[in-house]
Amino acid sequence: MRTELAKQPVDATTTSAWADLSRLSGDLEPDLRGWFESDPARAERFAFQAADLYVDLSKNLLTDDVLAALVDLAGQTGVAERRDAMFSGEHINPTEDRAVLHTALRRPAGTAPALHVDGQDVDADVRAELAKVYGFAEKVRSGEWTGVTGEKVRTIVNIGIGGSDLGPVMAYEALEPYVAEGLECRFVSNIDPTDVAQKTADLDPATTLFIVASKTFGTLETLTNARLARDWLWRSLVAAGAIEDTDEGRAGAVAKHFVAVSTALDKVAAFGIDTENAFGFWDWVGGRYSMDSAIGTSLAIAIGPERFEELLSGFHAMDEHFRTAPLERNVPVLMGLLNVWYTNFRDAHTHAVLPYAQQLHRFPAYLQQLTMESNGKSVRWDGSPVTADTGEVFWGEPGTNGQHAFYQLIHQGTRLIPADFIAVAQPAYGLTDPVGDGKAVAPGADVHGLFLANFFAQTKALAFGRTADEVRAEGTPEELVSARVFSGNRPTTSILAPALTPSVLGQLVALYEHITFVQGVVWGIDSFDQWGVELGKKLALEIAPAVAGDEAALAAQDASTAALIARYRTLRP
Ligand code: F6P
């Protein structure tokens, strides 16, 4: 049932808070140096704890007045009401008329009161499906589940794309120290046949398990890759003499080497996978919000059910913070509001996410889908045009690599680029430098400490910069002074966690899920649909015959596209 609220987004630009923010922005003269000097309590006042995450907002272009107006904006646009509507299962995804209940995926067993939505006992279903995933994971890990030759699975290949790939691969990389010895996961996503070819090239089919992960089980890339993988499996097993080249032989191979994750079990069966070996989830879990559903089966096998439960408890801890903390101390609310501040009042177009943890190297890519597929919208949830800019471009790479690539632009470019710096205190691999460099780095220095010195240094440099006088005082020739000045006042948020445990990873992901939600509510958009990806998919299917040589289909294309296809055909041997 669609709620009244769902039909009527508040136009944020008509609120008094928006007017206050416009005025405050007009009057604002960013001065992080001065603000810290004149206000010794600033660092403490703008630092918050959310579950295990220490979140320092003090190096943002934020004053008490701005913060108060932002919190007012959340109040006037109904952030808390819509948050509560989400948690309780109302259909806050109006364009698809669906509840949005990824938070139900991580409710601890036995949470009261039980969650019933649209006639479904959500808690019971979630727990039953998790039990199925965990049972399967244990079988694979213990070796009870074998391939056709009776050998234990050593490699799991997850075939999926978008939300059925980015979350699992990001989490697998992040939690690599927790992966069981002797198990490896690989991830195939791209329909470029190179992806399947490279990922299977050195694999032993007898010890390989494919997981076809697709919410809809209708995604061209995933089904094509699944067919390629199935063909590779059959050919390799036949060549190895492991199966007969018969229908029974091939069906037996699929039964032991293919499982599926989907909401569309009929299509799973049509592909030839026994639905006994399929794990389900529900239409109220968006693809980009699904890594903690059965979509995480590859991860659950790799790290084991116990660690997967820890991941879920981390998600839940952040959910509880978001659900219960007052708006003015609610970290996802504050970070979402800051993003609105920069996007709509400070002319920022992009947002950098810079993890100082190598294991989080896929986190920015994961966040790109989460944030941009959610909030890249031009109409509001009632179909009317948005009234302000939405959806900043999220991007990033791990530090320190990024420092030697694109940080120049963040430090001295003409554009304002708010950045989130994320670090963990305890490294997964603690190494010392045995020799040192004879200058700054002493023998026996803790390399992770050196790494984090960069994390601290960068936000400091961005906030406080370096004045012309300071540059001169270093003996810089006058003609080079301006090139070496750093303006400072470049906003950053620092997030520090104790260690990259499964729980902390869950907290981080949930934090960004809720940040994204808050922005969507303020802008009045449906953050849970993704109609903008449909046209390209449809056209690809229409164009495919032209690419394959159908002259009539080629003639039907516009001149540019026809010329490109014709050129491709001359280049393709
Ligand atoms: O094309 C976009 C999208 O629908 C994403 O939202 C989704 O995560 C991805 O495709 C994959 O979809 P599926 O899991 O149904 O294969």
Side-chain angles (χ1 to χ4, degrees), residues 160-165 213-219 222 281 286-288 290 295 369 373 530 533-534 537:
I161 197 164
S164 301
D165 167 72
S214 174
K215 179 176 170 179
T216 55
F217 226 77
T219 303
T222 300
F281 58 116
R288 55 195 174 274
S290 68
I295 285 292
Q369 188 200 13
E373 198 166 82
Q530 57 284 317
V533 297
E534 295 306 322
K537 288 186 194 173

mmCIF file with all atom_site columns, all heavy atoms in Angstrom, residues 160-165 213-219 222 281 286-288 290 295 369 373 530 533-534 537, ligand 1:
data_model
loop_
_atom_site.group_PDB
_atom_site.id
_atom_site.type_symbol
_atom_site.label_atom_id
_atom_site.label_alt_id
_atom_site.label_comp_id
_atom_site.label_asym_id
_atom_site.label_entity_id
_atom_site.label_seq_id
_atom_site.pdbx_PDB_ins_code
_atom_site.Cartn_x
_atom_site.Cartn_y
_atom_site.Cartn_z
_atom_site.occupancy
_atom_site.B_iso_or_equiv
_atom_site.pdbx_formal_charge
_atom_site.auth_seq_id
_atom_site.auth_comp_id
_atom_site.auth_asym_id
_atom_site.auth_atom_id
_atom_site.pdbx_PDB_model_num
ATOM   1   N N   . GLY A 1 160 ? 27.862 -12.569 -11.595 1.00 0.00 ? 160 GLY A N   1
ATOM   2   C CA  . GLY A 1 160 ? 26.806 -11.589 -11.336 1.00 0.00 ? 160 GLY A CA  1
ATOM   3   C C   . GLY A 1 160 ? 27.301 -10.235 -11.798 1.00 0.00 ? 160 GLY A C   1
ATOM   4   O O   . GLY A 1 160 ? 28.460 -10.090 -12.202 1.00 0.00 ? 160 GLY A O   1
ATOM   5   N N   . ILE A 1 161 ? 26.455 -9.243  -11.714 1.00 0.00 ? 161 ILE A N   1
ATOM   6   C CA  . ILE A 1 161 ? 26.892 -7.897  -12.120 1.00 0.00 ? 161 ILE A CA  1
ATOM   7   C C   . ILE A 1 161 ? 26.146 -6.880  -11.255 1.00 0.00 ? 161 ILE A C   1
ATOM   8   O O   . ILE A 1 161 ? 25.087 -7.200  -10.677 1.00 0.00 ? 161 ILE A O   1
ATOM   9   C CB  . ILE A 1 161 ? 26.666 -7.671  -13.643 1.00 0.00 ? 161 ILE A CB  1
ATOM   10  C CG1 . ILE A 1 161 ? 27.486 -6.479  -14.157 1.00 0.00 ? 161 ILE A CG1 1
ATOM   11  C CG2 . ILE A 1 161 ? 25.181 -7.497  -13.973 1.00 0.00 ? 161 ILE A CG2 1
ATOM   12  C CD1 . ILE A 1 161 ? 27.622 -6.431  -15.687 1.00 0.00 ? 161 ILE A CD1 1
ATOM   13  N N   . GLY A 1 162 ? 26.679 -5.673  -11.166 1.00 0.00 ? 162 GLY A N   1
ATOM   14  C CA  . GLY A 1 162 ? 26.048 -4.636  -10.344 1.00 0.00 ? 162 GLY A CA  1
ATOM   15  C C   . GLY A 1 162 ? 25.984 -5.100  -8.902  1.00 0.00 ? 162 GLY A C   1
ATOM   16  O O   . GLY A 1 162 ? 26.960 -5.616  -8.350  1.00 0.00 ? 162 GLY A O   1
ATOM   17  N N   . GLY A 1 163 ? 24.825 -4.997  -8.310  1.00 0.00 ? 163 GLY A N   1
ATOM   18  C CA  . GLY A 1 163 ? 24.682 -5.385  -6.918  1.00 0.00 ? 163 GLY A CA  1
ATOM   19  C C   . GLY A 1 163 ? 24.927 -6.858  -6.663  1.00 0.00 ? 163 GLY A C   1
ATOM   20  O O   . GLY A 1 163 ? 25.172 -7.264  -5.528  1.00 0.00 ? 163 GLY A O   1
ATOM   21  N N   . SER A 1 164 ? 24.879 -7.668  -7.697  1.00 0.00 ? 164 SER A N   1
ATOM   22  C CA  . SER A 1 164 ? 25.117 -9.101  -7.526  1.00 0.00 ? 164 SER A CA  1
ATOM   23  C C   . SER A 1 164 ? 26.594 -9.438  -7.693  1.00 0.00 ? 164 SER A C   1
ATOM   24  O O   . SER A 1 164 ? 26.972 -10.613 -7.747  1.00 0.00 ? 164 SER A O   1
ATOM   25  C CB  . SER A 1 164 ? 24.274 -9.895  -8.532  1.00 0.00 ? 164 SER A CB  1
ATOM   26  O OG  . SER A 1 164 ? 22.902 -9.598  -8.314  1.00 0.00 ? 164 SER A OG  1
ATOM   27  N N   . ASP A 1 165 ? 27.413 -8.400  -7.802  1.00 0.00 ? 165 ASP A N   1
ATOM   28  C CA  . ASP A 1 165 ? 28.860 -8.582  -7.944  1.00 0.00 ? 165 ASP A CA  1
ATOM   29  C C   . ASP A 1 165 ? 29.632 -7.640  -7.015  1.00 0.00 ? 165 ASP A C   1
ATOM   30  O O   . ASP A 1 165 ? 30.510 -8.069  -6.277  1.00 0.00 ? 165 ASP A O   1
ATOM   31  C CB  . ASP A 1 165 ? 29.259 -8.295  -9.406  1.00 0.00 ? 165 ASP A CB  1
ATOM   32  C CG  . ASP A 1 165 ? 30.751 -8.151  -9.594  1.00 0.00 ? 165 ASP A CG  1
ATOM   33  O OD1 . ASP A 1 165 ? 31.442 -9.169  -9.510  1.00 0.00 ? 165 ASP A OD1 1
ATOM   34  O OD2 . ASP A 1 165 ? 31.230 -7.017  -9.812  1.00 0.00 ? 165 ASP A OD2 1
ATOM   35  N N   . ALA A 1 213 ? 24.555 -15.428 -9.574  1.00 0.00 ? 213 ALA A N   1
ATOM   36  C CA  . ALA A 1 213 ? 23.862 -14.512 -8.662  1.00 0.00 ? 213 ALA A CA  1
ATOM   37  C C   . ALA A 1 213 ? 23.159 -13.430 -9.476  1.00 0.00 ? 213 ALA A C   1
ATOM   38  O O   . ALA A 1 213 ? 23.796 -12.631 -10.151 1.00 0.00 ? 213 ALA A O   1
ATOM   39  C CB  . ALA A 1 213 ? 24.868 -13.866 -7.701  1.00 0.00 ? 213 ALA A CB  1
ATOM   40  N N   . SER A 1 214 ? 21.849 -13.456 -9.450  1.00 0.00 ? 214 SER A N   1
ATOM   41  C CA  . SER A 1 214 ? 21.093 -12.446 -10.187 1.00 0.00 ? 214 SER A CA  1
ATOM   42  C C   . SER A 1 214 ? 19.713 -12.321 -9.563  1.00 0.00 ? 214 SER A C   1
ATOM   43  O O   . SER A 1 214 ? 18.951 -13.305 -9.543  1.00 0.00 ? 214 SER A O   1
ATOM   44  C CB  . SER A 1 214 ? 20.956 -12.845 -11.662 1.00 0.00 ? 214 SER A CB  1
ATOM   45  O OG  . SER A 1 214 ? 20.118 -11.936 -12.338 1.00 0.00 ? 214 SER A OG  1
ATOM   46  N N   . LYS A 1 215 ? 19.421 -11.143 -9.084  1.00 0.00 ? 215 LYS A N   1
ATOM   47  C CA  . LYS A 1 215 ? 18.114 -10.935 -8.458  1.00 0.00 ? 215 LYS A CA  1
ATOM   48  C C   . LYS A 1 215 ? 16.998 -11.325 -9.421  1.00 0.00 ? 215 LYS A C   1
ATOM   49  O O   . LYS A 1 215 ? 16.097 -12.075 -9.088  1.00 0.00 ? 215 LYS A O   1
ATOM   50  C CB  . LYS A 1 215 ? 17.988 -9.474  -8.018  1.00 0.00 ? 215 LYS A CB  1
ATOM   51  C CG  . LYS A 1 215 ? 16.660 -9.139  -7.388  1.00 0.00 ? 215 LYS A CG  1
ATOM   52  C CD  . LYS A 1 215 ? 16.623 -7.703  -6.889  1.00 0.00 ? 215 LYS A CD  1
ATOM   53  C CE  . LYS A 1 215 ? 15.193 -7.342  -6.502  1.00 0.00 ? 215 LYS A CE  1
ATOM   54  N NZ  . LYS A 1 215 ? 15.060 -5.984  -5.994  1.00 0.00 ? 215 LYS A NZ  1
ATOM   55  N N   . THR A 1 216 ? 17.086 -10.828 -10.643 1.00 0.00 ? 216 THR A N   1
ATOM   56  C CA  . THR A 1 216 ? 16.015 -11.050 -11.616 1.00 0.00 ? 216 THR A CA  1
ATOM   57  C C   . THR A 1 216 ? 16.204 -12.337 -12.418 1.00 0.00 ? 216 THR A C   1
ATOM   58  O O   . THR A 1 216 ? 15.273 -12.830 -13.035 1.00 0.00 ? 216 THR A O   1
ATOM   59  C CB  . THR A 1 216 ? 15.992 -9.891  -12.627 1.00 0.00 ? 216 THR A CB  1
ATOM   60  O OG1 . THR A 1 216 ? 17.314 -9.789  -13.209 1.00 0.00 ? 216 THR A OG1 1
ATOM   61  C CG2 . THR A 1 216 ? 15.625 -8.582  -11.956 1.00 0.00 ? 216 THR A CG2 1
ATOM   62  N N   . PHE A 1 217 ? 17.406 -12.845 -12.453 1.00 0.00 ? 217 PHE A N   1
ATOM   63  C CA  . PHE A 1 217 ? 17.803 -13.961 -13.311 1.00 0.00 ? 217 PHE A CA  1
ATOM   64  C C   . PHE A 1 217 ? 17.419 -13.683 -14.772 1.00 0.00 ? 217 PHE A C   1
ATOM   65  O O   . PHE A 1 217 ? 17.085 -14.590 -15.531 1.00 0.00 ? 217 PHE A O   1
ATOM   66  C CB  . PHE A 1 217 ? 17.232 -15.301 -12.834 1.00 0.00 ? 217 PHE A CB  1
ATOM   67  C CG  . PHE A 1 217 ? 18.278 -16.384 -12.825 1.00 0.00 ? 217 PHE A CG  1
ATOM   68  C CD1 . PHE A 1 217 ? 19.221 -16.447 -11.816 1.00 0.00 ? 217 PHE A CD1 1
ATOM   69  C CD2 . PHE A 1 217 ? 18.359 -17.312 -13.850 1.00 0.00 ? 217 PHE A CD2 1
ATOM   70  C CE1 . PHE A 1 217 ? 20.214 -17.418 -11.817 1.00 0.00 ? 217 PHE A CE1 1
ATOM   71  C CE2 . PHE A 1 217 ? 19.344 -18.301 -13.858 1.00 0.00 ? 217 PHE A CE2 1
ATOM   72  C CZ  . PHE A 1 217 ? 20.275 -18.353 -12.834 1.00 0.00 ? 217 PHE A CZ  1
ATOM   73  N N   . GLY A 1 218 ? 17.488 -12.391 -15.105 1.00 0.00 ? 218 GLY A N   1
ATOM   74  C CA  . GLY A 1 218 ? 17.178 -12.027 -16.481 1.00 0.00 ? 218 GLY A CA  1
ATOM   75  C C   . GLY A 1 218 ? 18.229 -11.071 -17.040 1.00 0.00 ? 218 GLY A C   1
ATOM   76  O O   . GLY A 1 218 ? 18.054 -10.519 -18.123 1.00 0.00 ? 218 GLY A O   1
ATOM   77  N N   . THR A 1 219 ? 19.313 -10.905 -16.328 1.00 0.00 ? 219 THR A N   1
ATOM   78  C CA  . THR A 1 219 ? 20.321 -9.929  -16.751 1.00 0.00 ? 219 THR A CA  1
ATOM   79  C C   . THR A 1 219 ? 21.210 -10.529 -17.833 1.00 0.00 ? 219 THR A C   1
ATOM   80  O O   . THR A 1 219 ? 21.812 -11.599 -17.638 1.00 0.00 ? 219 THR A O   1
ATOM   81  C CB  . THR A 1 219 ? 21.152 -9.483  -15.520 1.00 0.00 ? 219 THR A CB  1
ATOM   82  O OG1 . THR A 1 219 ? 20.241 -8.956  -14.552 1.00 0.00 ? 219 THR A OG1 1
ATOM   83  C CG2 . THR A 1 219 ? 22.169 -8.426  -15.874 1.00 0.00 ? 219 THR A CG2 1
ATOM   84  N N   . THR A 1 222 ? 24.878 -11.605 -17.013 1.00 0.00 ? 222 THR A N   1
ATOM   85  C CA  . THR A 1 222 ? 25.024 -12.732 -16.088 1.00 0.00 ? 222 THR A CA  1
ATOM   86  C C   . THR A 1 222 ? 24.605 -14.039 -16.743 1.00 0.00 ? 222 THR A C   1
ATOM   87  O O   . THR A 1 222 ? 25.292 -15.061 -16.616 1.00 0.00 ? 222 THR A O   1
ATOM   88  C CB  . THR A 1 222 ? 24.199 -12.451 -14.818 1.00 0.00 ? 222 THR A CB  1
ATOM   89  O OG1 . THR A 1 222 ? 24.708 -11.252 -14.241 1.00 0.00 ? 222 THR A OG1 1
ATOM   90  C CG2 . THR A 1 222 ? 24.290 -13.582 -13.817 1.00 0.00 ? 222 THR A CG2 1
ATOM   91  N N   . PHE A 1 281 ? 15.978 -14.439 -2.192  1.00 0.00 ? 281 PHE A N   1
ATOM   92  C CA  . PHE A 1 281 ? 15.711 -13.246 -1.398  1.00 0.00 ? 281 PHE A CA  1
ATOM   93  C C   . PHE A 1 281 ? 14.466 -12.606 -1.972  1.00 0.00 ? 281 PHE A C   1
ATOM   94  O O   . PHE A 1 281 ? 13.709 -13.281 -2.672  1.00 0.00 ? 281 PHE A O   1
ATOM   95  C CB  . PHE A 1 281 ? 16.928 -12.330 -1.248  1.00 0.00 ? 281 PHE A CB  1
ATOM   96  C CG  . PHE A 1 281 ? 17.551 -11.810 -2.515  1.00 0.00 ? 281 PHE A CG  1
ATOM   97  C CD1 . PHE A 1 281 ? 17.552 -10.442 -2.796  1.00 0.00 ? 281 PHE A CD1 1
ATOM   98  C CD2 . PHE A 1 281 ? 18.154 -12.652 -3.422  1.00 0.00 ? 281 PHE A CD2 1
ATOM   99  C CE1 . PHE A 1 281 ? 18.142 -9.939  -3.945  1.00 0.00 ? 281 PHE A CE1 1
ATOM   100 C CE2 . PHE A 1 281 ? 18.748 -12.166 -4.580  1.00 0.00 ? 281 PHE A CE2 1
ATOM   101 C CZ  . PHE A 1 281 ? 18.735 -10.809 -4.841  1.00 0.00 ? 281 PHE A CZ  1
ATOM   102 N N   . GLY A 1 286 ? 16.819 -4.224  -2.654  1.00 0.00 ? 286 GLY A N   1
ATOM   103 C CA  . GLY A 1 286 ? 17.362 -3.695  -3.904  1.00 0.00 ? 286 GLY A CA  1
ATOM   104 C C   . GLY A 1 286 ? 18.698 -4.357  -4.202  1.00 0.00 ? 286 GLY A C   1
ATOM   105 O O   . GLY A 1 286 ? 19.437 -4.729  -3.284  1.00 0.00 ? 286 GLY A O   1
ATOM   106 N N   . GLY A 1 287 ? 19.026 -4.498  -5.483  1.00 0.00 ? 287 GLY A N   1
ATOM   107 C CA  . GLY A 1 287 ? 20.283 -5.154  -5.854  1.00 0.00 ? 287 GLY A CA  1
ATOM   108 C C   . GLY A 1 287 ? 21.483 -4.540  -5.147  1.00 0.00 ? 287 GLY A C   1
ATOM   109 O O   . GLY A 1 287 ? 22.354 -5.248  -4.630  1.00 0.00 ? 287 GLY A O   1
ATOM   110 N N   . ARG A 1 288 ? 21.543 -3.215  -5.113  1.00 0.00 ? 288 ARG A N   1
ATOM   111 C CA  . ARG A 1 288 ? 22.710 -2.556  -4.523  1.00 0.00 ? 288 ARG A CA  1
ATOM   112 C C   . ARG A 1 288 ? 22.666 -2.554  -3.001  1.00 0.00 ? 288 ARG A C   1
ATOM   113 O O   . ARG A 1 288 ? 23.570 -2.026  -2.360  1.00 0.00 ? 288 ARG A O   1
ATOM   114 C CB  . ARG A 1 288 ? 22.853 -1.146  -5.087  1.00 0.00 ? 288 ARG A CB  1
ATOM   115 C CG  . ARG A 1 288 ? 21.622 -0.271  -4.938  1.00 0.00 ? 288 ARG A CG  1
ATOM   116 C CD  . ARG A 1 288 ? 21.708 0.961   -5.825  1.00 0.00 ? 288 ARG A CD  1
ATOM   117 N NE  . ARG A 1 288 ? 20.483 1.747   -5.810  1.00 0.00 ? 288 ARG A NE  1
ATOM   118 C CZ  . ARG A 1 288 ? 19.434 1.534   -6.596  1.00 0.00 ? 288 ARG A CZ  1
ATOM   119 N NH1 . ARG A 1 288 ? 19.457 0.542   -7.471  1.00 0.00 ? 288 ARG A NH1 1
ATOM   120 N NH2 . ARG A 1 288 ? 18.371 2.311   -6.537  1.00 0.00 ? 288 ARG A NH2 1
ATOM   121 N N   . SER A 1 290 ? 22.026 -5.539  -1.419  1.00 0.00 ? 290 SER A N   1
ATOM   122 C CA  . SER A 1 290 ? 21.767 -6.977  -1.209  1.00 0.00 ? 290 SER A CA  1
ATOM   123 C C   . SER A 1 290 ? 22.969 -7.793  -0.754  1.00 0.00 ? 290 SER A C   1
ATOM   124 O O   . SER A 1 290 ? 22.863 -8.999  -0.629  1.00 0.00 ? 290 SER A O   1
ATOM   125 C CB  . SER A 1 290 ? 21.215 -7.590  -2.507  1.00 0.00 ? 290 SER A CB  1
ATOM   126 O OG  . SER A 1 290 ? 22.211 -7.595  -3.505  1.00 0.00 ? 290 SER A OG  1
ATOM   127 N N   . ILE A 1 295 ? 22.765 -13.078 -1.678  1.00 0.00 ? 295 ILE A N   1
ATOM   128 C CA  . ILE A 1 295 ? 23.744 -12.620 -2.677  1.00 0.00 ? 295 ILE A CA  1
ATOM   129 C C   . ILE A 1 295 ? 25.164 -12.755 -2.115  1.00 0.00 ? 295 ILE A C   1
ATOM   130 O O   . ILE A 1 295 ? 26.134 -12.904 -2.852  1.00 0.00 ? 295 ILE A O   1
ATOM   131 C CB  . ILE A 1 295 ? 23.432 -11.157 -3.112  1.00 0.00 ? 295 ILE A CB  1
ATOM   132 C CG1 . ILE A 1 295 ? 22.221 -11.123 -4.053  1.00 0.00 ? 295 ILE A CG1 1
ATOM   133 C CG2 . ILE A 1 295 ? 24.639 -10.476 -3.763  1.00 0.00 ? 295 ILE A CG2 1
ATOM   134 C CD1 . ILE A 1 295 ? 22.417 -11.740 -5.432  1.00 0.00 ? 295 ILE A CD1 1
ATOM   135 N N   . GLN A 1 369 ? 27.955 2.384   -7.184  1.00 0.00 ? 369 GLN A N   1
ATOM   136 C CA  . GLN A 1 369 ? 26.614 1.880   -7.500  1.00 0.00 ? 369 GLN A CA  1
ATOM   137 C C   . GLN A 1 369 ? 25.625 2.286   -6.418  1.00 0.00 ? 369 GLN A C   1
ATOM   138 O O   . GLN A 1 369 ? 24.522 2.758   -6.710  1.00 0.00 ? 369 GLN A O   1
ATOM   139 C CB  . GLN A 1 369 ? 26.593 0.351   -7.661  1.00 0.00 ? 369 GLN A CB  1
ATOM   140 C CG  . GLN A 1 369 ? 25.229 -0.107  -8.193  1.00 0.00 ? 369 GLN A CG  1
ATOM   141 C CD  . GLN A 1 369 ? 24.898 -1.571  -7.958  1.00 0.00 ? 369 GLN A CD  1
ATOM   142 O OE1 . GLN A 1 369 ? 25.562 -2.253  -7.192  1.00 0.00 ? 369 GLN A OE1 1
ATOM   143 N NE2 . GLN A 1 369 ? 23.873 -2.046  -8.621  1.00 0.00 ? 369 GLN A NE2 1
ATOM   144 N N   . GLU A 1 373 ? 23.485 4.971   -8.397  1.00 0.00 ? 373 GLU A N   1
ATOM   145 C CA  . GLU A 1 373 ? 22.272 4.340   -8.914  1.00 0.00 ? 373 GLU A CA  1
ATOM   146 C C   . GLU A 1 373 ? 21.083 4.740   -8.031  1.00 0.00 ? 373 GLU A C   1
ATOM   147 O O   . GLU A 1 373 ? 19.945 4.788   -8.492  1.00 0.00 ? 373 GLU A O   1
ATOM   148 C CB  . GLU A 1 373 ? 22.436 2.807   -8.951  1.00 0.00 ? 373 GLU A CB  1
ATOM   149 C CG  . GLU A 1 373 ? 21.437 2.116   -9.856  1.00 0.00 ? 373 GLU A CG  1
ATOM   150 C CD  . GLU A 1 373 ? 21.799 0.670   -10.175 1.00 0.00 ? 373 GLU A CD  1
ATOM   151 O OE1 . GLU A 1 373 ? 21.503 -0.197  -9.338  1.00 0.00 ? 373 GLU A OE1 1
ATOM   152 O OE2 . GLU A 1 373 ? 22.370 0.401   -11.251 1.00 0.00 ? 373 GLU A OE2 1
ATOM   153 N N   . GLN A 1 530 ? 15.768 2.264   -10.390 1.00 0.00 ? 530 GLN A N   1
ATOM   154 C CA  . GLN A 1 530 ? 16.917 2.512   -11.261 1.00 0.00 ? 530 GLN A CA  1
ATOM   155 C C   . GLN A 1 530 ? 16.479 2.448   -12.720 1.00 0.00 ? 530 GLN A C   1
ATOM   156 O O   . GLN A 1 530 ? 17.038 1.740   -13.528 1.00 0.00 ? 530 GLN A O   1
ATOM   157 C CB  . GLN A 1 530 ? 18.079 1.537   -10.990 1.00 0.00 ? 530 GLN A CB  1
ATOM   158 C CG  . GLN A 1 530 ? 17.795 0.047   -11.114 1.00 0.00 ? 530 GLN A CG  1
ATOM   159 C CD  . GLN A 1 530 ? 17.032 -0.501  -9.950  1.00 0.00 ? 530 GLN A CD  1
ATOM   160 O OE1 . GLN A 1 530 ? 17.323 -0.171  -8.806  1.00 0.00 ? 530 GLN A OE1 1
ATOM   161 N NE2 . GLN A 1 530 ? 16.023 -1.323  -10.221 1.00 0.00 ? 530 GLN A NE2 1
ATOM   162 N N   . VAL A 1 533 ? 18.805 2.794   -16.063 1.00 0.00 ? 533 VAL A N   1
ATOM   163 C CA  . VAL A 1 533 ? 19.691 1.825   -16.700 1.00 0.00 ? 533 VAL A CA  1
ATOM   164 C C   . VAL A 1 533 ? 18.967 1.035   -17.796 1.00 0.00 ? 533 VAL A C   1
ATOM   165 O O   . VAL A 1 533 ? 19.583 0.246   -18.507 1.00 0.00 ? 533 VAL A O   1
ATOM   166 C CB  . VAL A 1 533 ? 20.300 0.845   -15.667 1.00 0.00 ? 533 VAL A CB  1
ATOM   167 C CG1 . VAL A 1 533 ? 21.163 1.581   -14.658 1.00 0.00 ? 533 VAL A CG1 1
ATOM   168 C CG2 . VAL A 1 533 ? 19.220 0.043   -14.972 1.00 0.00 ? 533 VAL A CG2 1
ATOM   169 N N   . GLU A 1 534 ? 17.670 1.269   -17.950 1.00 0.00 ? 534 GLU A N   1
ATOM   170 C CA  . GLU A 1 534 ? 16.875 0.416   -18.837 1.00 0.00 ? 534 GLU A CA  1
ATOM   171 C C   . GLU A 1 534 ? 17.082 0.689   -20.322 1.00 0.00 ? 534 GLU A C   1
ATOM   172 O O   . GLU A 1 534 ? 17.167 -0.227  -21.130 1.00 0.00 ? 534 GLU A O   1
ATOM   173 C CB  . GLU A 1 534 ? 15.381 0.556   -18.508 1.00 0.00 ? 534 GLU A CB  1
ATOM   174 C CG  . GLU A 1 534 ? 15.012 0.056   -17.130 1.00 0.00 ? 534 GLU A CG  1
ATOM   175 C CD  . GLU A 1 534 ? 15.459 -1.386  -16.886 1.00 0.00 ? 534 GLU A CD  1
ATOM   176 O OE1 . GLU A 1 534 ? 15.380 -2.204  -17.819 1.00 0.00 ? 534 GLU A OE1 1
ATOM   177 O OE2 . GLU A 1 534 ? 15.918 -1.667  -15.771 1.00 0.00 ? 534 GLU A OE2 1
ATOM   178 N N   . LYS A 1 537 ? 20.082 -0.928  -21.963 1.00 0.00 ? 537 LYS A N   1
ATOM   179 C CA  . LYS A 1 537 ? 19.912 -2.391  -22.065 1.00 0.00 ? 537 LYS A CA  1
ATOM   180 C C   . LYS A 1 537 ? 19.045 -2.737  -23.265 1.00 0.00 ? 537 LYS A C   1
ATOM   181 O O   . LYS A 1 537 ? 19.335 -3.648  -24.042 1.00 0.00 ? 537 LYS A O   1
ATOM   182 C CB  . LYS A 1 537 ? 19.204 -2.921  -20.807 1.00 0.00 ? 537 LYS A CB  1
ATOM   183 C CG  . LYS A 1 537 ? 20.005 -2.949  -19.546 1.00 0.00 ? 537 LYS A CG  1
ATOM   184 C CD  . LYS A 1 537 ? 19.146 -3.649  -18.479 1.00 0.00 ? 537 LYS A CD  1
ATOM   185 C CE  . LYS A 1 537 ? 19.676 -3.466  -17.089 1.00 0.00 ? 537 LYS A CE  1
ATOM   186 N NZ  . LYS A 1 537 ? 18.790 -3.993  -16.058 1.00 0.00 ? 537 LYS A NZ  1
HETATM 187 O O1  . F6P B 2 .   ? 21.101 -2.699  -14.444 1.00 0.00 ? 1   F6P B O1  1
HETATM 188 C C1  . F6P B 2 .   ? 21.098 -2.328  -13.126 1.00 0.00 ? 1   F6P B C1  1
HETATM 189 C C2  . F6P B 2 .   ? 20.768 -3.477  -12.241 1.00 0.00 ? 1   F6P B C2  1
HETATM 190 O O2  . F6P B 2 .   ? 19.410 -3.727  -12.278 1.00 0.00 ? 1   F6P B O2  1
HETATM 191 C C3  . F6P B 2 .   ? 21.243 -3.225  -10.825 1.00 0.00 ? 1   F6P B C3  1
HETATM 192 O O3  . F6P B 2 .   ? 20.374 -2.469  -10.095 1.00 0.00 ? 1   F6P B O3  1
HETATM 193 C C4  . F6P B 2 .   ? 21.463 -4.603  -10.331 1.00 0.00 ? 1   F6P B C4  1
HETATM 194 O O4  . F6P B 2 .   ? 22.238 -4.626  -9.172  1.00 0.00 ? 1   F6P B O4  1
HETATM 195 C C5  . F6P B 2 .   ? 22.121 -5.224  -11.527 1.00 0.00 ? 1   F6P B C5  1
HETATM 196 O O5  . F6P B 2 .   ? 21.455 -4.664  -12.625 1.00 0.00 ? 1   F6P B O5  1
HETATM 197 C C6  . F6P B 2 .   ? 22.078 -6.715  -11.588 1.00 0.00 ? 1   F6P B C6  1
HETATM 198 O O6  . F6P B 2 .   ? 20.760 -7.198  -11.579 1.00 0.00 ? 1   F6P B O6  1
HETATM 199 P P1  . F6P B 2 .   ? 20.427 -8.688  -11.281 1.00 0.00 ? 1   F6P B P1  1
HETATM 200 O O7  . F6P B 2 .   ? 20.908 -9.017  -9.902  1.00 0.00 ? 1   F6P B O7  1
HETATM 201 O O8  . F6P B 2 .   ? 18.949 -8.825  -11.416 1.00 0.00 ? 1   F6P B O8  1
HETATM 202 O O9  . F6P B 2 .   ? 21.156 -9.551  -12.292 1.00 0.00 ? 1   F6P B O9  1
#
